[in-house]
Amino acid sequence: GAVVSQHPSWVICKSGTSVKIECRSLDFQATTMFWYRQFPKQSLMLMATSNEGSKATYEQGVEKDKFLINHASLTLSTLTVTSAHPEDSSFYICSANFAFPGTGGGEQYFGPGTRLTVT
Amino acid sequence: AQKITQTQPGMFVQEKEAVTLDCTYDTSDQSYGLFWYKQPSSGEMIFLIYQGSYDEQNATEGRYSLNFQKARKSANLVISASQLGDSAMYFCAMREGPMGGKLIFGQGTELSVKP
């Protein structure tokens, strides 16, 4: 099956610093990747849709200047949390869209998630 | 706007018994997909089962089956013969439009299997 990795799996940073999280599709090319945030005991909330070679599409209420998304290649999307604050502490999960050849359709495969703690 | 609702924050089930996790949805689209994911304490999202809006038969995958009632806009997950390893958070999700589109998740149900 399609494999998606995330790095790092967990990170602790100080308030005011920036943190970059990588999402990679290991054995397929993904023109579209998604970034979700999950607070403890809550659901996954879609933050943005990342499209290779173009600007990300952010969901309503998500600060695009704070959560910078770059989808520079067909196998890599990065989420940078800029000037992180304790309220940004959360579990960040990416997913990558695996396109079925010749059908125009696809399915999402999730990465294992990154736990961010801002002190 | 599409919406997914899971009304059971927590459920208990005895080992080896069956359990039903509820999910209702709301959408104006004719073409959509419904998913169930399992999330253990490790945090990974494990895909369980998928039902397309045009599928006439209920989806089944091993011990998992999806009770799809289109007119009632419900997509309940049935887990048969519960195992201790089934203890986890379970999320219902919906995708509007073409496959590969973004997913909207329900609030989740925490299932605990008792020995």
Side-chain angles (χ1 to χ4, degrees):
Chain A
V3 178
V4 177
S5 71
Q6 277 185 245
H7 178 80
S9 55
W10 60 271
V11 57
I12 302 173
C13 71
K14 290 188 176 181
S15 186
T17 61
S18 295
V19 175
K20 181 185 285 187
I21 302 171
E22 293 185 348
C23 176
R24 292 182 185 273
S25 55
L26 297 185
D27 50 1
F28 66 100
Q29 293 182 330
T31 54
T32 304
M33 291 183 175
F34 302 90
W35 286 96
Y36 298 85
R37 180 168 57 180
Q38 185 181 30
F39 292 108
K41 299 292 186 182
Q42 294 188 23
S43 185
L44 280 73
M45 298 299 296
L46 180 66
M47 300 175 66
T49 302
S50 170
N51 297 298
E52 187 268 338
S54 64
K55 291 184 179 180
T57 303
Y58 290 82
E59 294 298 302
Q60 192 172 8
V62 177
E63 301 174 60
K64 59 182 68 177
D65 293 332
K66 181 168 185 60
F67 298 100
L68 300 179
I69 292 173
N70 184 18
H71 196 153
S73 76
L74 288 172
T75 60
L76 174 64
S77 176
T78 59
L79 168 67
T80 301
V81 183
T82 62
S83 187
H85 291 283
E87 56 265 30
D88 298 323
S89 298
S90 187
F91 192 57
Y92 292 87
I93 307 175
C94 73
S95 68
N97 181 33
F98 173 74
F100 299 141
T103 67
E107 278 303 342
Q108 284 190 43
Y109 292 89
F110 284 85
T114 297
R115 197 165 301 279
L116 170 63
T117 302
V118 185
T119 61
Chain B
Q2 57 176 306
K3 187 178 179 181
I4 289 277
T5 303
Q6 294 178 252
T7 58
Q8 305 156 313
M11 287 281 287
F12 288 91
V13 64
Q14 201 70 37
E15 190 179 10
K16 299 181 183 177
E17 292 187 350
V19 63
T20 297
L21 306 184
D22 294 342
C23 173
T24 58
Y25 61 93
D26 189 20
T27 180
S28 56
D29 257 29
Q30 296 301 311
S31 175
Y32 52 89
L34 297 159
F35 301 76
W36 276 93
Y37 288 89
K38 172 184 177 181
Q39 187 181 42
S41 57
S42 61
E44 62 179 314
M45 296 293 287
I46 301 170
F47 167 76
L48 296 178
I49 198 165
Y50 167 79
Q51 179 86 41
S53 58
Y54 294 117
D55 295 339
E56 295 185 352
Q57 288 192 324
N58 287 342
T60 60
E61 289 286 349
R63 295 188 296 113
Y64 305 107
S65 61
L66 197 152
N67 185 2
F68 182 45
Q69 298 189 41
K70 195 170 183 177
R72 298 179 60 181
K73 293 188 175 179
S74 74
N76 299 338
L77 176 70
V78 180
I79 305 174
S80 63
S82 297
Q83 302 172 357
L84 296 178
D86 293 335
S87 295
M89 284 291 291
Y90 288 81
F91 290 99
C92 180
M94 179 170 68
R95 180 203 64 227
E96 283 186 339
M99 299 178 76
K102 65 182 182 183
L103 298 178
I104 303 299
F105 286 84
Q107 303 93 320
T109 296
E110 184 170 12
L111 177 66
S112 298
V113 180
K114 298 188 290 185

